[in-house]
Amino acid sequence: MKKIFLMLFFLVLLQISYGTDKIKSSIVKIYSTHQQYDYRSPWQNGSDYNSTSTGFIVDGNRILTNAHAVLSNRFLQVRKEGESKKYKASVEFISEEYDLALIKVEEPGFFNGTVPLKFSGIPMNRDKVAIYGYPMGGDKLSITEGIVSRIEHSKYTLTTEKFLIGQTDAAINPGNSGGALLNMQGEVIGINEAKLSSSYVEGMGYAIPISDVESIIGDLKSLET
């Protein structure tokens, strides 16, 4: 009986480990070089600055992230967890209103060994969540956990309109932008927004609900047909 219990215990551990590894294989770090434009002097080149953010692989061999993470970029690269190679990428679709962007990578080998993350519904208050991303200060994948503390309407980063947004006590910091907010089953329930209305709130993070993401992907598919 004891041997059977131990076998079941190790099988559960292996299943959890395998599930975590699948998620990690789908999380990418994004390197973007942006160019700031001075619209009062459009004949002059704006200054450049670099940023890093997070994205994750979805169906169709695309990477989903925040629009503000790749806005006005002139050079874009992505890197998978556990690898040093960076792949050239480009923005395929962007929605400033919903602060969402889809990125494509031309080199097909980039997606080898990856699994697109699955979507779930809008979370409820006190649901446990996990945040996968690359906050500034390190190159390794960071995982933080917490609960959903509030669902309300508020402004996203690039718009003055109010949309549904989720608040969590799991830490979301600069660099986490565009990463996945997952439930305990490893399904995506939101997209992390490290910045909300150009401000940071101590001990709180915000995420765009998955319903907005599905509408953006639906718009892209309609353009392809």
Side-chain angles (χ1 to χ4, degrees), residues 180-191:
L181 179 71
L182 298 111
N183 59 23
M184 292 297 100
Q185 288 73 49
E187 301 163 326
V188 182
I189 56 176
I191 314 301

Side-chain angles (χ1 to χ4, degrees), residues 107-127:
E107 191 170 336
F110 172 81
F111 295 97
N112 292 343
T114 66
V115 179
L117 294 182
K118 302 296 183 183
F119 296 162
S120 184
I122 295 175
M124 304 293 290
N125 280 352
R126 300 203 62 78
D127 280 358

Side-chain angles (χ1 to χ4, degrees), residues 204-220:
M204 291 184 187
Y206 294 90
I208 300 167
I210 205 64
S211 55
D212 288 348
V213 177
E214 290 176 315
S215 67
I216 294 300
I217 292 178
D219 288 344
L220 179 61

Side-chain angles (χ1 to χ4, degrees), residues 153-194:
H153 285 81
S154 189
K155 296 176 183 177
Y156 291 0
T157 300
L158 299 174
T159 182
T160 58
E161 299 293 326
K162 288 189 174 182
F163 299 103
L164 196 65
I165 199 161
Q167 178 182 307
T168 173
D169 63 358
I172 298 179
N173 296 297
N176 276 126
S177 291
L181 179 71
L182 298 111
N183 59 23
M184 292 297 100
Q185 288 73 49
E187 301 163 326
V188 182
I189 56 176
I191 314 301
N192 303 321
E193 256 209 337

Side-chain angles (χ1 to χ4, degrees), residues 194-213:
K195 184 168 64 173
L196 181 69
S197 301
S198 301
S199 66
Y200 295 95
V201 183
E202 195 71 30
M204 291 184 187
Y206 294 90
I208 300 167
I210 205 64
S211 55
D212 288 348
V213 177

